[in-house]
């Protein structure tokens, strides 16, 4: 493919007659129209561009087709698909509901049976993927190689005998609610709003399609789902591919035989009140040193809630690596009143999400739900935090998941690099820890260890930030109750200045891969140094992304890598700037020289004013895009305050960055970007 080929392709298809511009946000209509006219007005149609016609489905009953691919994987990755209509077909909505019911989330049929009950897979899901002209109903699973034939037999048996009659009214209503909820919440951000409006207008010619979709969704019932399953989930239309670890003795013929024996025509024939509030942000002191932040926003009838504690990996010793991450997974999986599955159903019935997460310096719980369900959700969250039951079965499942996650990350060069980066860079805990722990040690973690960790972690004063629509009195009573039950006198958590490793180079290997990855890491100050943080953020924006200097030079001009970027990581007292490139093994030395030249350039001359201004625009745009959702704002407030930082620190950082000059960035580069001080990590075959 040549540059001329690409230009010809664009000239042939990218005609004004085919273009749609959607602008959403705080804009001046006349200015937008004038800018659109300036940019696109001169373009002329040079030929007619006719929409492509619907593609005929190629697989119409010629039997199951199964493909095996062996490679250097730890796990088996399985995909099975059936051809279905495109999104212009009204039946695509029913197929969406069917995909949600079968494998859309943790309450779905396939997840409950094969992941939760039988533990045959690490993960499983299904979805109806409808495109413009063609679609497929897709089932995916990740599992161990020794479980393939048993899982396949049971999956085929399930599909052969499956009938939508198994779904209760509650499950059907939940699936439809969650699909509608996805549509509404997608429009919470400006990008999501523009995308939805654009797709409805572009593909259907009208905004009426949203109402049509919701109507079709409301009409889906068991009878329509049965008709869809009979027509499209047919073994003769099945295509499956399995990525298998080398040496796995599983034959495509054996799996095909299972389908033909179990899934016969005969078996297929037998499967029969919103609160409105808006106003100023309040910070309220709670008992025990905790803090409540109220951030009213009447834009949407939703409540976002973020609870942050200092601690996480900083609350454990070296023998407990992975414990906080495991505790976060299990904390929400049982209360004295509900089991894990009951919690999942309860949340899904209310289009709600609740999840805990552990970091290197924090432990957090985040929740989001329709505001009218507040009276249902706050008591449940309180029970999760004050009386978690740590069920043995849930602990075992979470340990299995954590081990699987580690292995999956180590299957990929970049995943391996980011798993090893902190133990490589730092000699002092908690930054030197493996956050998810070690494969051989995770199975040894007991429920008692989790209980002990949570008893210690939850004693710390917390920050609770609530954003959206809510009853302030109810939220205050909820937060005071939590503080009284959990917080107790304890030593204040200390954010440390860690010791950097004396070893500055490491080489990791993933055999038989055709990729090489290079990370060059430069120590910088933490977020407590606002001016340095603003400067390094601006420098990162100048270097990163497809419009950044690294990408344009090392990739576009020199062709040294397929991905080139820069990124920042910062804690209160420590941070680093990293240059990253993904390349071919034979170009690793050239890529490293490219980084060396980039550092020299940044230290020798100030960046052009145009590059600095572009970076300022990038930072400003990123900030507002990243803070559109209610949950992103509650998370920001809670996480910054719990670290002892100003709640508006990120906005202060953005504002300060707008005042910096190219000379300021030159000074920062000379102060912190020293190639001889860089930590170099390589991942090679």
């Amino acid at each position: 493919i040549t540059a001329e080929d690409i230009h010809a392709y664009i000239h042939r298809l990218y005609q004004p007659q085919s273009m749609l511009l959607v602008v959403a946000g705080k804009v001046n209509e006349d200015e937008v129209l004038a800018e659109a006219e300036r940019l696109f007005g001169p373009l002329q149609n040079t030929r007619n561009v006719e929409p492509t016609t619907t593609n005929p489905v190629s697989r119409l009953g010629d039997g199951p087709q199964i493909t095996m691919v062996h490679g250097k994987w730890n796990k088996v990755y399985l995909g099975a698909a059936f051809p279905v209509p495109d999104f212009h077909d009204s039946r695509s909505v029913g197929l969406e509901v069917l995909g949600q019911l079968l494998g859309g989330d943790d309450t779905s049929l396939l997840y409950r049976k094969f992941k939760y009950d039988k533990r045959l897979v690490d993960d499983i899901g299904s979805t109806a993927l409808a495109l413009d002209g063609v679609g497929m109903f897709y089932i995916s699973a990740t599992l161990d190689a020794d479980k393939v034939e048993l899982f396949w037999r049971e999956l085929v048996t399930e599909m052969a005998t499956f009938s939508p009659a198994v779904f209760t009214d509650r499950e059907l209503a939940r699936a439809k609610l969650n699909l509608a909820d996805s549509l509404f919440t997608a429009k919470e951000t400006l990008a999501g709003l523009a995308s939805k409006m654009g797709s409805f207008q572009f593909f259907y010619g009208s905004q009426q399609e949203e109402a049509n979709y919701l109507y079709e969704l409301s009409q889906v019932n068991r009878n329509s789902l049965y008709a869809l399953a009979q027509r499209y989930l047919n073994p003769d239309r099945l295509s499956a591919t399995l990525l298998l670890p080398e040496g796995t003795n599983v034959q495509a013929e054996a799996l095909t035989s299972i389908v033909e024996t179990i899934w016969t025509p005969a078996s297929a024939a037998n499967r029969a009140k919103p609160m409105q509030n808006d106003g100023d942000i309040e910070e309220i002191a709670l008992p025990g040193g905790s803090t409540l932040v109220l951030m009213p926003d009447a834009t949407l009838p939703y409540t976002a809630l973020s609870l942050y504690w200092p601690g996480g990996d900083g609350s454990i010793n070296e023998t407990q690596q992975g414990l906080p991450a495991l505790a976060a997974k299990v904390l929400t999986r049982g209360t004295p009143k509900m089991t894990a599955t009951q919690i999942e159903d309860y949340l899904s019935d209310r289009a709600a999400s609740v999840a805990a997460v552990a970091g290197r310096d924090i432990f957090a719980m985040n929740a989001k739900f329709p505001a009218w369900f507040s009276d249902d959700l706050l008591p449940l969250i309180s029970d999760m935090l004050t009386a978690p039951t740590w069920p043995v079965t849930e602990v075992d499942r979470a340990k299995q998941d954590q081990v699987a996650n580690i292995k999956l990350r180590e299957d990929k060069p970049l995943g391996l690099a980011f798993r090893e980066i902190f133990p490589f860079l730092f000699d002092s805990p908690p930054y030197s820890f493996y956050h998810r722990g070690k494969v051989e040690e995770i199975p040894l973690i007991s429920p008692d260890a989790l209980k002990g960790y949570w008893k210690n972690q939850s004693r710390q004063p917390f920050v609770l930030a609530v954003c959206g629509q809510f009853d302030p009195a109810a939220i205050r009573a909820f937060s005071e109750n939590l503080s009284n039950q959990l917080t107790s006198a304890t030593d204040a958590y200390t954010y440390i200045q860690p010791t950097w490793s004396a070893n500055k180079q490491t080489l990791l290997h993933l055999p038989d891969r055709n990729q090489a990855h290079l990370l060059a890491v430069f120590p910088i100050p933490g977020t407590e140094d606002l001016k340095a943080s603003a400067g390094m953020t601006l420098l990162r924006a100048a270097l990163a992304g497809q419009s950044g200097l690294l990408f344009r030079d090392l990739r576009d001009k020199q062709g040294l890598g397929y991905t080139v970027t820069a990124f920042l990581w910062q804690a209160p007292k420590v941070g680093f700037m990293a240059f990253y490139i993904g390349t071919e093994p034979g170009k690793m030395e050239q890529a490293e020289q490219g980084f060396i030249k980039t550092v020299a350039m940044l230290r020798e001359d100030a960046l052009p004013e145009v590059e600095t201004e572009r970076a300022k625009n990038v930072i400003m745009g990123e900030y507002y895009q990243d803070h559109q959702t209610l949950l992103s704002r509650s998370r920001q407030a809670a996480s910054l305050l719990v670290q002892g930082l100003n709640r508006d620190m990120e906005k202060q950082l953005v504002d300060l960055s707008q005042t910096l000059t190219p000379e300021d960035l030159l000074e920062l580069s000379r102060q912190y970007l020293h190639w001889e001080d860089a930590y170099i990590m390589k991942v090679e075959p």
Side-chain angles (χ1 to χ4, degrees):
I1 297 176
T2 66
E4 289 73 20
D5 294 329
I6 296 171
H7 285 299
Y9 173 82
I10 293 173
H11 183 68
R12 177 168 59 89
L13 294 176
Y14 286 68
Q15 300 279 323
Q17 63 194 289
S18 305
M19 297 169 64
L20 172 68
L21 173 64
V22 182
V23 182
K26 188 177 181 180
V27 295
N28 181 295
E29 182 177 335
D30 293 336
E31 290 177 356
V32 170
L33 291 172
E35 182 69 1
E37 179 65 30
R38 186 185 70 82
L39 290 171
F40 303 115
L43 299 179
Q44 298 293 320
N45 293 317
T46 60
R47 68 191 69 207
N48 288 329
V49 178
E50 298 293 334
T52 46
T53 57
T54 300
N55 297 322
V57 176
S58 59
R59 301 281 332 279
L60 289 176
D62 50 351
Q65 295 184 1
I66 300 175
T67 303
M68 306 289 200
V69 180
H70 290 81
K72 296 286 186 179
W73 298 292
N74 291 324
K75 294 283 184 176
V76 175
Y77 304 88
L78 180 151
F82 306 84
V84 298
D86 69 0
F87 59 63
H88 295 286
D89 193 305
S90 61
R91 291 168 295 188
S92 65
V93 180
L95 287 163
E96 272 195 79
V97 177
L98 190 58
Q100 182 72 16
L101 286 164
L102 273 174
D105 58 24
D106 293 0
T107 70
S108 62
L109 178 65
L110 297 181
Y111 185 93
R112 284 280 172 82
K113 178 164 288 189
F114 295 113
K115 162 70 174 175
Y116 190 81
D117 293 335
K118 297 191 175 184
R119 301 195 191 183
L120 289 176
V121 299
D122 298 324
D123 195 24
I124 188 168
S126 69
T127 185
L129 179 62
L131 305 175
D132 187 14
V134 70
M136 69 174 176
F137 192 95
Y138 184 66
I139 300 172
S140 62
T142 307
L143 63 155
D144 291 327
D146 59 357
K147 298 177 181 177
V148 170
E149 291 204 23
L150 175 59
F151 166 68
W152 183 252
R153 182 178 298 278
E154 297 214 11
L155 176 64
V156 169
T157 301
E158 181 65 37
M159 298 304 296
T161 59
F162 162 73
S163 169
V166 301
F167 298 123
T168 65
D169 290 342
R170 179 185 180 186
E171 290 170 325
L172 183 56
R174 178 199 302 149
K176 294 158 72 171
L177 172 64
N178 284 328
L179 289 172
D181 178 69
S182 296
L183 173 63
F184 292 132
T185 55
K187 299 192 298 181
E188 183 178 5
T189 66
L190 295 176
L193 176 62
S195 178
K196 286 297 181 184
M197 293 177 65
S199 61
F200 287 140
Q201 190 70 37
F202 192 91
F203 291 109
Y204 301 97
S206 170
Q207 297 302 305
Q208 176 64 27
E209 186 57 30
E210 178 177 333
N212 295 343
Y213 174 86
L214 293 172
Y215 175 78
E216 293 288 349
L217 187 62
S218 71
Q219 299 303 300
V220 175
N221 55 42
R222 292 184 192 83
N223 288 333
S224 61
L225 292 176
Y226 178 82
L228 291 170
Q230 287 293 96
R231 179 164 184 173
Y232 296 112
L233 302 189
N234 187 307
D236 287 342
R237 299 156 62 92
L238 168 67
S239 297
T241 296
L242 291 86
L243 305 185
L244 300 162
E246 289 182 347
T248 303
N249 186 23
V250 178
Q251 303 300 318
E253 293 79 6
L255 301 190
T256 302
S257 176
I258 290 173
V259 178
E260 293 171 343
T261 302
I262 296 174
W263 201 347
T264 64
S267 68
N270 290 330
R271 51 185 185 177
K273 85 196 155 176
M275 293 164 284
Q276 297 292 331
N277 60 306
D278 210 345
D280 295 332
I281 296 175
E282 292 183 79
E283 290 187 20
I284 302 168
L286 297 172
S290 295
T291 302
L292 170 64
V293 185
L294 299 180
M295 310 170 68
D297 185 327
T299 306
L300 290 172
Y302 281 77
T303 304
L305 180 154
S306 296
L307 261 161
Y308 274 68
W309 291 262
D313 289 355
S315 297
I316 61 173
N317 59 49
E318 189 171 1
T319 67
Q320 299 173 306
Q321 295 179 63
L323 180 58
L326 189 65
K329 182 76 173 177
V330 188
L331 180 65
T332 60
R333 302 291 292 169
T335 72
K337 300 174 184 177
M338 289 190 190
T339 64
T341 53
Q342 289 172 331
I343 290 172
E344 288 174 352
D345 292 344
Y346 192 84
L347 294 174
S348 191
D349 287 345
R350 291 155 179 81
S353 62
V354 180
V357 63
R360 297 189 179 275
D361 277 315
I362 60 94
F363 191 98
M365 174 184 278
N366 295 286
K368 185 179 178 183
F369 46 86
W372 58 90
F373 286 130
S374 197
D375 290 345
D376 295 341
L377 271 299
L378 293 181
L380 174 59
I381 295 170
S382 180
D383 285 348
M384 288 176 172
L385 296 171
T386 62
T389 54
W390 310 105
V392 174
T393 54
E394 297 303 327
V395 173
D396 290 343
R397 288 187 178 96
K399 289 194 287 189
Q400 183 179 355
D401 287 346
Q402 196 150 314
V403 169
N405 180 275
I406 293 171
K407 292 182 177 179
L408 289 171
R409 288 175 67 87
E410 291 180 344
D411 253 351
K412 304 169 186 176
L414 196 53
L416 177 63
F418 281 109
R419 173 162 166 77
E420 296 289 339
I421 190 72
F422 278 88
F424 164 57
L425 293 177
F426 299 108
D427 279 340
S428 51
Y431 305 109
S432 61
F433 290 164
Y434 287 95
H435 174 60
R436 289 181 174 82
K438 300 177 181 179
V439 168
E440 66 275 13
E441 295 176 358
I442 292 171
L444 305 178
I445 299 176
S446 68
D448 285 342
L450 293 169
K451 293 176 187 177
Y453 169 78
W454 180 240
K455 182 178 180 180
N456 179 56
Q457 173 65 78
S458 62
R459 294 172 60 199
Q460 290 284 342
F462 60 78
V463 176
L464 168 60
V466 186
C467 186
Q469 296 187 16
F470 50 83
D471 179 349
I475 294 296
R476 187 158 186 167
F478 166 76
S479 59
E480 289 176 349
N481 178 63
L482 279 182
S483 190
N484 287 326
Q485 291 200 58
L486 293 175
T487 311
S488 59
T490 184
D491 293 335
Y493 184 84
T494 302
Y495 291 90
I496 70 163
Q497 177 79 52
T499 303
W500 288 82
S501 173
N503 176 29
K504 292 190 174 182
Q505 297 212 18
T506 188
L507 176 61
L508 307 174
H509 289 285
L510 271 182
D512 299 330
R513 299 300 198 273
N514 58 359
Q515 303 174 4
H517 299 260
L518 171 63
L519 281 164
V521 180
F522 303 89
I524 65 169
T527 49
E528 291 181 344
D529 189 333
L530 186 63
K531 183 174 182 180
S533 297
M536 298 310 290
T537 300
L538 187 60
L539 185 59
R540 187 273 309 165
L543 295 170
Q546 294 189 14
S547 61
L549 293 171
L550 282 174
F551 190 95
R552 281 151 43 200
D553 183 23
L554 300 187
R555 183 189 184 278
D556 285 351
K557 291 182 182 179
Q558 300 186 48
L560 292 180
Y562 51 86
T563 302
V564 190
T565 193
F567 58 89
L568 282 180
W569 174 86
Q570 287 179 289
K573 296 184 181 297
V574 67
F576 60 76
M577 162 86 81
F579 293 0
Y580 160 72
I581 187 168
T583 186
E584 302 169 22
K587 294 182 177 180
M588 182 69 92
E589 186 175 343
Q590 292 173 270
E592 185 170 352
Q593 288 301 313
F595 281 170
I596 293 173
K597 291 178 181 178
T598 299
V599 170
M601 178 268 292
L602 293 171
R603 291 171 52 83
E604 289 171 4
D605 298 303
L607 290 175
E609 185 72 31
V610 64
E611 298 292 348
T612 308
E613 290 304 309
R614 182 194 65 80
K616 291 178 181 180
N617 291 334
V618 167
I619 292 173
M620 188 70 75
E622 287 176 344
Y623 174 81
Y624 284 108
Q625 290 174 26
D626 292 345
H627 295 78
Q628 294 179 87
T629 66
L630 301 177
L631 197 54
S632 67
R633 280 177 271 154
S634 66
R635 274 198 299 251
Q636 173 195 284
S639 63
L640 290 175
L641 285 172
V642 85
Q643 295 177 74
L645 302 169
N646 189 293
R647 171 172 51 80
D648 294 322
M649 188 274 287
E650 290 189 19
K651 183 60 168 64
Q652 293 173 351
L653 185 149
V654 171
D655 291 342
L656 180 56
S657 72
Q658 305 302 299
T659 69
L660 299 179
T661 66
E663 289 70 27
D664 293 325
L665 298 186
L666 177 61
E667 182 182 343
L668 275 173
S669 298
R670 290 173 173 174
Q671 187 172 359
Y672 297 114
L673 301 187
H674 302 276
W675 186 258
E676 61 273 17
D677 294 334
Y679 288 76
I680 307 299
M681 171 178 278
K682 298 178 181 179
V683 184
E684 297 181 347

